[in-house]
Amino acid sequence: MTYSWQANRIRRFFNLVAPIYDFFVLPVMHSKIKKAASLLGDITNSEVLDVCTGTGIMALELAERGARVTGIDFSPAMLSRANRKAKNLLPVNFRLMDASYLEFDDNSFDISTICMGLHEMPRPQRYRTLSEMRRVTRHKVLVMDWVSSPTGRFWQLGVTLIERLEGSFYEEFIRSDLEEVLIGCGLEPLVHEEDDAIGIFLCRPQK
């Protein structure tokens, strides 16, 4: 896979932090992931794509709820952690893939999800990723990401540190209107909830 220099920098960052990622992120994200997943309702036997799956936090939550999950990410180290956590016991498959060029046919999945991945991307890649998710999804698209600046000291310090180390696109992202971005990519928001400056959008893909 060929990536831009920005994407390569972010990928190197995640490869580096993969061994400690869950230690810092899981305690503060666990309840939010469960809240987001619950908006999908009964997903038993649904075909689900989890984009920017990382260490598989959302993918494993959805698999535990009965879905058949494919998780994709561009970081081999993060996917290695995800595979170890799955232990081949859950109906989940992890694949190395560029989120902005999904290697799936149109309407391959009932549901697609992306959690805390969009703010890591340059604006053009962000739009391509959401448009690709719309293309491959039949029924529901779940998007979870920042909609305002966090107020908690943990988040403020964490975001500042990541911005310096990773060089992500958080500052530009937070100034955008995520709901408008979703609509512009052909995703119709049906439900919108917020939790500690994180927005959770359940959308319907427009075909």
Side-chain angles (χ1 to χ4, degrees):
M1 278 178 276
T2 301
Y3 299 109
S4 67
W5 68 268
Q6 298 104 322
N8 274 321
R9 178 175 177 176
I10 295 170
R11 187 163 63 109
R12 286 194 297 269
F13 172 79
F14 279 112
N15 284 337
L16 178 65
V17 302
I20 60 174
Y21 183 86
D22 284 340
F23 177 80
F24 289 101
V25 173
L26 193 55
V28 293
M29 289 301 297
H30 185 65
S31 64
K32 295 174 175 56
I33 290 291
K34 285 187 171 295
K35 181 177 182 178
S38 69
L39 295 180
L40 295 169
D42 183 5
I43 57 174
T44 304
N45 294 323
S46 295
E47 294 289 344
V48 179
L49 173 66
D50 185 39
V51 176
C52 300
T53 194
T55 62
I57 297 173
M58 174 59 86
L60 296 176
E61 175 66 28
L62 297 174
E64 288 176 355
R65 292 172 182 252
R68 295 188 294 272
V69 184
T70 299
I72 67 106
D73 202 278
F74 72 164
S75 165
M78 296 287 272
L79 289 176
S80 177
R81 299 289 296 181
N83 274 309
R84 282 200 290 273
K85 287 161 63 177
K87 298 179 181 177
N88 298 319
L89 298 177
L90 292 171
V92 57
N93 174 47
F94 293 110
R95 294 178 58 179
L96 186 67
M97 194 178 299
D98 183 345
S100 59
Y101 295 99
L102 297 176
E103 300 168 18
F104 304 108
D105 293 334
D106 294 357
N107 302 315
S108 293
F109 299 92
D110 298 307
I111 299 164
S112 64
T113 65
I114 183 166
C115 296
M116 309 308 290
L118 293 173
H119 71 271
E120 310 284 357
M121 302 176 184
R123 187 174 183 273
Q125 184 184 5
R126 190 182 309 148
Y127 275 77
R128 285 198 304 268
T129 295
L130 289 171
S131 296
E132 280 286 87
M133 291 174 68
R134 178 195 58 77
R135 178 182 66 80
V136 304
T137 308
R138 290 188 286 270
H139 303 306
K140 299 175 182 177
V141 175
L142 182 69
V143 178
M144 177 175 167
D145 216 307
W146 298 110
V147 290
S148 60
S149 298
T151 56
R153 184 154 182 80
F154 172 85
W155 284 118
Q156 290 176 336
L157 291 173
V159 167
T160 299
L161 178 61
I162 290 172
E163 281 292 297
R164 290 179 179 175
L165 293 176
E166 176 195 316
S168 76
F169 300 86
Y170 168 81
E171 291 295 339
E172 178 269 326
F173 178 82
I174 209 69
R175 291 192 297 270
S176 67
D177 185 319
L178 181 53
E179 185 168 0
E180 287 186 1
V181 172
L182 297 174
I183 294 170
C185 293
L187 301 174
E188 178 189 359
L190 303 175
V191 179
H192 172 204
E193 298 190 8
E194 293 190 20
D195 189 334
D196 292 339
I198 294 174
I200 305 169
F201 296 84
L202 180 63
C203 304
R204 176 168 54 205
Q206 300 297 295
K207 302 296 185 179

